Amino acid sequence: MSNVGRFEFILLLIVLVVGLELVARKVRLPPAAALVLGGIAIALVPGVPVIGIDPDLVLIVFLPPLLLAGAYFSVWHAFRTHLGGILQLAVGGVAFTTFVVGVVTHWLVPTLPWAGCLVLGAIVAPPDAVAAKAVLKHVHLPERITTLLEGESLLDDAASLVIYRFAALAVLTGEFSPIHAGMTFGLLALGGLVLGGGLGWVWIRLLGRVHDRILSITMTLLLPWVAYIGGEMAGASGVITTVVAGLVLGWRQHDVFSADERLRWAAVWEVLVFVLESLVFVLIGISLHAIVLRHMGTPWVEQDVFRPVAGIVAAVLVSRFAWMFLTEGLRVAWLPPHLRPGRKDFFRFVAIMGWCGMRGVVSLAIVLALPAGMPERDVMQIATFVVILVTVLGQGTTIGWVIHMTGGERGRGQHHHHLSVSQARALIAHAQEHAMRQQAYDPQGQLVHARLLEQYAYRAELAERFSHEQQALQGRQDAHYRVLLATIQAGRAELLRLHRSGEIHDAVLHQLEHELDLQQMTAEGGLI
């Protein structure tokens, strides 16, 4: 297929992505599951071209922006508070799953050397950032579980890639040193931490000097690839470099972006992440095409593949539950008796965390990059694809049910040290009123901004009342914002009438429409 043909095919996939997303919302199916099924259906259609997917290209195109977006929107305080648990999952959990899958694989496929078994274990070990984000945005979980899952999916790729590289090298050369591998991982992680922090700081300094929204958004779009490629070229972990740069940028974005830049940046990235996430899952389904064509109708699948693949999938699922049970049990045992959760809370945590182990783009890219000389290469690829399908389709479609059955949603709102939205809004309103009182009078003490002072004092009074009487006043507030939205809609209709009749210039239209958009966003935010 020519490059033009590939581009046209990608455009067709994006059109299909939109359709699959609409179908998923209509039938209440997780989008990731609908997209994978759609990719499989596309791959099985007669006459569909076989597109060779370059795994290095998949990693460098999809992974950096998705990692940076996930890190950018991470809650830094929660991430830092639970860093120990995140590392225990991202490093310890990956290593444990790699070992368990390696043992099971060696038992079921004795012709595969031990290093090759660990290669497969490293491939299927890391839960995927894209898959986790796609599922988590459709469910409601306690803060600790959400933070652990998001943090794990951001950092576990580095551990998996290091194990994979050394195990694959051992298969091809027959040499392996655990000490060397451990030291290398430490250096890669440290290098990524330092380089990512440095790049994030440099980017913030540059963005602070650029006072043009187009340039600042463009620079932000470049950061994930600069961090990933720069980290790999410098001998550090490109994954960790990108994640750390995203964390730094997310922490300081309130200082460097104007309100207009932030609104436009969020819109650009929302579309970019949606397209990339969707294409990843469709490509997972399409990637089955070559293997299906190669082995369709052969007895080899039933005789030599079905049993090992089933065992490997079971090992992936069981090992995660075992690791969750072990580590959470040790954590609870270490807590003082009065702080230990009850038995139901313990098993609820283990069940939800154990079931949230979706695999995706990283496993796909690594298995496609397996050297041609790797023993049992086809078995490894089929096993990886099945693991991705089972976790995305099985766990992704049932995680909401698991959360509901275990009562996981009851964990929300238990962090009483956090202010509610209405309480925070009241404090902000009082701060604004205080600032207005200081500026409402001229140097001679004459009140010159009486109307503004009245408005801000009224807002502060309402916000204070609402923070204490939210249940009683919610209906009145909703009615207020609905009336406000109706007036905004009337203003928008008049603005469009003036423009279409030729009474105002396009520049005036865009300026006033932007002001109405900001007013509408505020009103719609009040109704949420």
Side-chain angles (χ1 to χ4, degrees):
M1 178 181 291
S2 65
N3 291 331
V4 173
R6 290 189 178 93
F7 178 71
E8 292 173 346
F9 188 68
I10 294 296
L11 291 179
L12 176 61
L13 290 182
I14 295 176
V15 173
L16 293 172
V17 159
V18 175
L20 290 170
E21 284 278 343
L22 292 175
V23 171
R25 294 174 185 179
K26 187 73 173 178
V27 301
R28 296 184 178 181
L29 186 71
L35 293 169
V36 172
L37 290 174
I40 294 173
I42 294 169
L44 296 177
V45 171
V48 171
V50 178
I51 297 182
I53 301 176
D54 185 341
D56 293 330
L57 184 62
V58 171
L59 277 177
I60 203 170
V61 169
F62 292 95
L63 196 57
L66 296 176
L67 285 173
L68 186 128
Y72 179 89
F73 291 106
S74 293
V75 182
W76 171 246
H77 289 294
F79 186 90
R80 184 177 58 186
T81 300
H82 298 291
L83 183 59
I86 291 171
L87 292 176
Q88 161 256 309
L89 287 168
V91 180
V94 165
F96 181 76
T97 300
T98 299
F99 175 75
V100 172
V101 172
V103 171
V104 172
T105 304
H106 189 71
W107 173 52
L108 295 172
V109 190
T111 57
L112 188 62
W114 270 107
C117 298
L118 295 178
V119 166
L120 179 57
I123 291 172
V124 299
D128 185 61
V130 179
K133 187 174 181 293
V135 171
L136 287 177
K137 67 183 179 183
H138 295 283
V139 297
H140 302 284
L141 291 170
E143 178 187 338
R144 178 176 173 238
I145 293 180
T146 301
T147 304
L148 288 175
L149 289 172
E150 291 180 346
E152 173 197 18
S153 63
L154 289 174
L155 299 180
D156 59 4
D157 299 333
S160 174
L161 286 169
V162 171
I163 297 174
Y164 163 77
R165 287 172 181 171
F166 279 93
L169 184 65
V171 173
L172 299 177
T173 65
E175 298 179 1
F176 177 73
S177 171
I179 297 177
H180 184 219
M183 292 178 61
T184 300
F185 174 74
L187 291 174
L188 288 172
L190 180 61
L193 183 65
V194 173
L195 186 58
L199 271 174
W201 182 83
V202 169
W203 234 251
I204 288 169
R205 300 281 291 186
L206 292 174
L207 288 171
R209 296 176 180 273
V210 175
H211 303 290
D212 182 275
R213 61 172 178 261
I214 301 300
L215 293 178
S216 64
I217 293 173
T218 302
M219 289 176 60
T220 310
L221 286 172
L222 286 173
L223 178 57
W225 287 285
V226 171
Y228 186 84
I229 297 172
E232 293 294 320
M233 292 179 64
S237 169
V239 171
I240 295 180
T241 302
T242 307
V243 168
V244 173
L247 287 171
V248 173
L249 183 64
W251 174 251
R252 294 295 308 278
Q253 54 102 358
H254 307 285
D255 301 325
V256 297
F257 289 134
S258 65
D260 184 50
E261 288 172 341
R262 190 176 300 108
L263 287 172
R264 295 172 187 267
W265 184 94
V268 170
W269 272 87
E270 187 174 2
V271 173
L272 176 65
V273 169
F274 166 75
V275 171
L276 292 179
E277 284 182 351
S278 302
L279 283 177
V280 164
F281 288 113
V282 171
L283 288 174
I284 288 173
I286 292 178
S287 297
L288 289 170
H289 200 168
I291 293 180
V292 168
L293 291 179
R294 189 160 63 246
H295 298 292
M296 183 179 292
T298 63
W300 173 80
V301 174
E302 182 179 352
Q303 294 173 3
D304 300 326
V305 174
F306 182 79
R307 181 170 171 267
V309 169
I312 290 165
V313 172
V316 170
L317 299 178
V318 172
S319 63
R320 182 168 179 86
F321 277 100
W323 183 254
M324 291 297 118
F325 186 88
L326 175 64
T327 54
E328 182 66 6
L330 291 175
R331 188 191 74 87
V332 169
W334 188 259
L335 292 174
H338 66 282
L339 294 179
R340 292 175 185 170
R343 183 175 298 179
K344 288 185 178 179
D345 292 332
F346 172 80
F347 284 106
R348 179 183 302 128
F349 175 86
V350 172
I352 294 175
M353 289 293 295
W355 202 241
C356 287
M358 290 69 67
R359 271 64 174 178
V361 60
V362 175
S363 298
L364 171 69
I366 297 175
V367 78
L368 291 176
L370 282 172
M374 180 67 66
E376 303 292 348
R377 186 173 184 267
D378 281 351
V379 174
M380 290 187 179
Q381 290 189 335
I382 294 175
T384 302
F385 285 128
V386 174
V387 167
I388 293 173
L389 292 177
V390 168
T391 55
V392 171
L393 299 181
Q395 295 177 326
T397 57
T398 58
I399 185 61
W401 178 82
V402 171
I403 293 170
H404 175 72
M405 292 301 294
T406 59
E409 290 184 307
R410 291 199 293 268
R412 290 184 295 168
Q414 292 179 353
H415 303 278
H416 301 293
H417 59 284
H418 289 159
L419 295 174
S420 67
V421 173
S422 58
Q423 290 171 329
R425 199 173 273 151
L427 292 176
I428 292 172
H430 280 298
Q432 290 177 317
E433 180 199 10
H434 179 69
M436 180 52 63
R437 286 192 181 279
Q438 291 181 323
Q439 301 178 65
Y441 299 86
D442 63 14
Q444 288 72 40
Q446 184 71 25
L447 181 61
V448 293
H449 297 299
R451 182 59 176 165
L452 283 174
L453 181 58
E454 179 185 355
Q455 289 178 357
Y456 277 92
Y458 181 66
R459 289 180 186 177
E461 178 187 353
L462 284 183
E464 181 67 26
R465 286 182 57 198
F466 187 78
S467 68
H468 296 297
E469 305 174 48
Q470 183 170 350
Q471 297 292 337
L473 299 177
Q474 185 69 55
R476 292 174 59 184
Q477 177 181 274
D478 290 348
H480 166 82
Y481 282 116
R482 289 193 183 97
V483 171
L484 184 58
L485 285 171
T487 62
I488 293 170
Q489 187 61 32
R492 193 184 300 278
E494 176 64 12
L495 176 64
L496 293 176
R497 187 193 68 78
L498 292 172
H499 178 256
R500 289 166 182 169
S501 63
E503 297 180 55
I504 59 173
H505 191 271
D506 282 13
V508 176
L509 168 70
H510 296 319
Q511 175 64 35
L512 296 181
E513 188 174 41
H514 180 66
E515 294 176 6
L516 289 173
D517 287 342
L518 294 177
Q519 294 176 25
Q520 183 171 341
M521 289 175 61
T522 301
E524 289 175 345
L527 283 173
I528 295 176

